[in-house]
């Protein structure tokens, strides 16, 4: 085998090792090359896919745990090719994250959500709904989020309270001061703020006193641990009246189209104004 090919394979294996937490070694395998080819294909098609409308907004309904009435929706992305093939979120989202293009997907979904909220403004039913959109760690690095979101709501003339900004707990671990300052500014402007996947540990409570969030979305693992010990989920933060929901997800924006968590978990949250998830559908109405 030519030395050039051996070097290419060694560099490819080394690049895979960089994404792993351990400082060990890795053997080259043919799937690494196939993954590389797939990644390049996704990246080369992504910008055109946005322009052609292949990346679509889907809605996953948020339902009140008490009365089971729809109170809003979570924005999800689906890549539906012109020939009808669907590229799963679990495939294209990690690729976009790894190559620094996730902010383009997020902005696209944010704008589509704002456009949809504008079309709902005068509807007697949909006009009261919120749409929840995700903010990732990479978005904070690439975008001035305050300027982006205030510009979007002003451009589409929508109430910022109807755009729920969902921030994962990992954002606070990565850039805590910037995230807390950003949330304060966005909340003062009128946006609804949600903390996603809350409860990775009791250390999570340490920053709650500094965050004026409207909604806490409880990670499924927290409820599973409580259930195993027979304890009821109880947090001072939950006593503030925050909404909560259990989550089963195949990726941030590619959540499974199924009710969130076992029935027992939902029942244990009925004392809170909680949220359950229903089937995701294209972003026109619920």
């Amino acid at each position: 085998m030519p030395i050039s090919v051996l070097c290419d394979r060694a560099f490819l294996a080394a690049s895979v090792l960089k994404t792993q937490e351990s400082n060990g070694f890795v053997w080259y395998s043919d799937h690494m090359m196939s993954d590389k080819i797939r990644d390049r294909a996704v990246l080369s098609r992504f910008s055109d896919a946005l322009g052609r409308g292949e990346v679509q907004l889907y809605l996953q309904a948020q339902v009140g745990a008490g009365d089971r009435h729809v109170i809003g929706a979570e924005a999800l992305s689906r890549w539906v090719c012109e020939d009808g093939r669907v590229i799963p979120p679990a495939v294209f989202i990690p690729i976009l994250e790894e190559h620094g293009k996730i902010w383009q997907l997020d902005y696209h979904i944010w704008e589509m959500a704002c456009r949809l909220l504008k079309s709902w403004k005068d509807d007697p039913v949909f006009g009261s709904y919120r749409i929840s959109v995700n903010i990732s760690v990479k978005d904070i690095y690439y975008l001035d989020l305050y300027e982006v979101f205030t510009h979007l709501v002003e451009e589409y003339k929508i109430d910022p309270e109807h755009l729920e900004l969902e921030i994962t707990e990992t954002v606070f671990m990565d850039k805590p001061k910037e995230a807390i300052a950003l949330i304060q500014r966005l909340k003062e402007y009128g946006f609804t703020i949600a903390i996603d996947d809350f409860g990775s540990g009791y250390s999570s409570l340490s920053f709650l006193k500094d965050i004026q969030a409207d909604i806490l979305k409880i990670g499924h693992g927290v409820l599973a641990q409580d259930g195993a010990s027979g304890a009821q989920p109880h947090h001072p933060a939950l006593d503030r009246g925050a909404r909560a929901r259990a989550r089963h997800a195949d990726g941030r924006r590619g959540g499974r189209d199924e009710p969130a968590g076992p029935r027992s978990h939902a029942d244990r949250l009925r004392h809170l104004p909680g949220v359950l998830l229903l089937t995701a559908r294209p972003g026109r109405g619920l």
Side-chain angles (χ1 to χ4, degrees), residues 127-165:
S128 63
Y129 291 166
R130 293 188 183 124
I131 295 182
S132 173
V133 297
N134 292 98
I135 296 175
S136 72
V137 175
K138 297 290 181 68
D139 294 330
I140 293 182
Y141 283 104
Y142 287 101
L143 299 170
D144 183 333
L145 293 177
Y146 182 83
E147 292 297 328
V148 167
F149 283 116
T150 54
H151 171 75
L152 284 173
V153 298
E154 289 170 5
E155 179 181 357
Y156 289 97
K157 296 180 174 59
I158 59 175
D159 186 343
E161 187 179 17
H162 290 168
L163 188 63
E164 181 180 306
L165 307 182

Side-chain angles (χ1 to χ4, degrees), residues 2-273:
I3 293 295
S4 60
V5 175
L6 289 174
C7 288
D8 286 343
R9 292 184 175 185
F11 286 133
L12 181 56
S15 68
V16 172
L17 185 60
K18 290 179 181 179
T19 64
Q20 300 178 0
E21 295 182 359
S22 61
N23 294 321
F25 61 89
V26 61
W27 296 102
Y28 170 83
S29 62
D30 289 338
H31 78 80
M32 292 180 182
M33 183 60 72
S34 61
D35 287 349
K36 193 73 172 179
I37 294 172
R38 180 203 60 194
D39 290 1
R40 289 179 177 177
V42 167
L43 292 171
S44 65
R45 294 185 54 189
F46 177 65
S47 295
D48 289 339
L50 290 179
R52 289 194 296 265
E54 292 183 4
V55 181
Q56 301 176 11
L57 170 67
Y58 272 55
L59 299 178
Q60 199 162 32
Q62 297 174 328
V63 181
D67 56 17
R68 292 191 171 273
H69 290 164
V70 175
I71 57 177
E74 181 172 0
L76 305 176
S77 60
R78 294 292 184 266
W79 188 341
V80 183
C81 301
E82 290 182 330
D83 58 8
R85 291 182 301 108
V86 177
I87 301 177
V91 171
F92 69 86
I93 288 176
I95 294 172
L96 297 178
E97 287 180 329
E98 180 181 352
H99 293 273
K101 292 184 177 292
I102 193 65
W103 68 270
Q104 297 179 19
L105 172 66
D106 286 344
Y107 184 86
H108 178 72
I109 295 300
W110 300 340
E111 186 166 27
M112 293 182 73
C114 290
R115 191 178 302 135
L116 185 58
L117 285 170
K118 180 179 180 179
S119 71
W120 287 356
K121 278 183 65 174
D122 298 324
D123 189 282
V125 176
F126 294 117
S128 63
Y129 291 166
R130 293 188 183 124
I131 295 182
S132 173
V133 297
N134 292 98
I135 296 175
S136 72
V137 175
K138 297 290 181 68
D139 294 330
I140 293 182
Y141 283 104
Y142 287 101
L143 299 170
D144 183 333
L145 293 177
Y146 182 83
E147 292 297 328
V148 167
F149 283 116
T150 54
H151 171 75
L152 284 173
V153 298
E154 289 170 5
E155 179 181 357
Y156 289 97
K157 296 180 174 59
I158 59 175
D159 186 343
E161 187 179 17
H162 290 168
L163 188 63
E164 181 180 306
L165 307 182
E166 184 173 317
I167 305 174
T168 59
E169 197 177 39
T170 54
V171 172
F172 299 96
M173 299 176 185
D174 195 74
K175 297 178 75 70
K177 292 182 179 179
E178 293 85 346
I180 291 172
L182 173 65
I183 283 182
Q184 184 175 351
R185 293 181 69 198
L186 290 170
K187 186 166 176 58
E188 288 174 354
Y189 189 86
F191 291 100
T192 301
I193 305 296
I195 307 300
D196 193 19
D197 290 336
F198 173 81
S200 59
Y202 282 103
S203 60
S204 304
L205 294 175
S206 64
F207 62 73
L208 279 182
K209 64 180 184 299
D210 300 318
I211 300 174
Q212 298 300 313
D214 301 288
I215 300 164
L216 296 180
K217 297 187 176 181
I218 306 301
H220 171 258
V222 175
L223 298 181
Q225 292 171 9
D226 287 337
S229 63
Q232 292 297 316
H234 178 76
H235 263 290
L238 301 183
D239 293 338
R240 299 189 322 193
R243 284 187 281 140
R245 65 174 169 83
R247 296 198 57 158
H248 275 302
D250 283 334
R252 290 183 304 108
R253 302 165 187 78
R256 294 182 187 179
D257 306 337
E258 59 179 321
R263 178 61 179 268
S264 60
H265 294 157
D267 290 340
R268 290 160 58 201
L269 290 173
R270 284 189 178 279
H271 66 287
L272 298 173

